[in-house]
Amino acid sequence: MKLVDKVCIVTGAGRGLGQGIALKLAKEGAKVVVADITEEATEDTVRMIKEAGGEATGVAVNIADYDQVQAMFAKVLEVYGDYDAIVNNAGINRDRMIHKMSVEEWQVVIDVDLTGTFYCVQEAVKYLREKGSGSIVNIASGSWLGNLGQANYAAAKAGVVGLTKTAARELAIKGVTCNAICPGFIKTDMTTSMPEAAWDRMMAKIPMGYAGEPEDVGNLVAFLVSDEARYITAEVINVGGGMIV
Ligand code: NAI
């Protein structure tokens, strides 16, 4: 187990990718803070971790609300007294072609995916700089390179990549790493809710021919927050079965 004695926060960990990441970190011995939009949304993941013999605490947070983000970190310090890593996974999409996209659809995705990630990075940075160690992993997306119907999402995720590389440069001297992961097409509510024809078109674009599982991303996160990855920072790593090149 690579992560014994580490405390790791995972946002959006109530389901999907975040849940897969949280379960993997717990399996490697981490104490996991399962953060999601409501306390209820965190319950399944917390129960699954505890049933498997791990340690987890659920915290309700809307990452797009700065006060709630501050309150989340305060709660983590109250419960565990410290933390080592944050995985900024919470995110949403509101897909529409640019000529039909409303300003609200643009703004809400920027608010959650980019500004929300910034709030969490900023609060973590303040603490981890002083601590002199730690890791930040931001879940971006292969869509940051541009994707039909995802101007809001692609812009937000490209912003997350810029934020990641800047944080990495600012934090390197403090012994803190910051990396981004770009999942390709992973089986979660975000993707399985799409029409069958769109799903089939996606499959055709994946050289490996199948959608990834949340654990495929969790395995990389577990490595990036482990001491074994101490010299890896400012990287953008694809987990996409060859889809993102
Ligand atoms: P999902 O929709 O299944 O789960 C997202 C989770 O984030 C939910 O539990 C939701 O309650 C939570 N959440 C949403 N807004 C929040 C907020 N304001 N504050 C706190 N929590 C919030 O999505 P999925 O597929 O698990 O995606 C997770 C991350 O991975 C997202 O950042 C997404 O953009 C990214 N991603 C997913 C891909 C995929 O193929 N599923 C591909 C590339 C990136």
Side-chain angles (χ1 to χ4, degrees), residues 11-18 35-37 41 61-64 88-92 112-113 139-142 153 157 182-191:
T11 66
R15 65 170 194 237
L17 250 173
D36 212 303
I37 197 92
V61 65
N62 174 1
I63 61 158
N88 291 304
N89 163 81
I92 58 168
V112 175
D113 294 12
I139 305 300
S141 166
Y153 185 77
K157 295 299 190 178
C182 293
F185 195 72
I186 312 292
K187 241 186 264 171
T188 69
D189 288 357
M190 193 183 265
T191 50

Side-chain angles (χ1 to χ4, degrees), residues 146-169:
N147 199 21
L148 282 184
Q150 293 198 310
N152 47 3
Y153 185 77
K157 295 299 190 178
V160 167
V161 170
L163 170 63
T164 302
K165 286 179 175 285
T166 303
R169 283 177 175 248

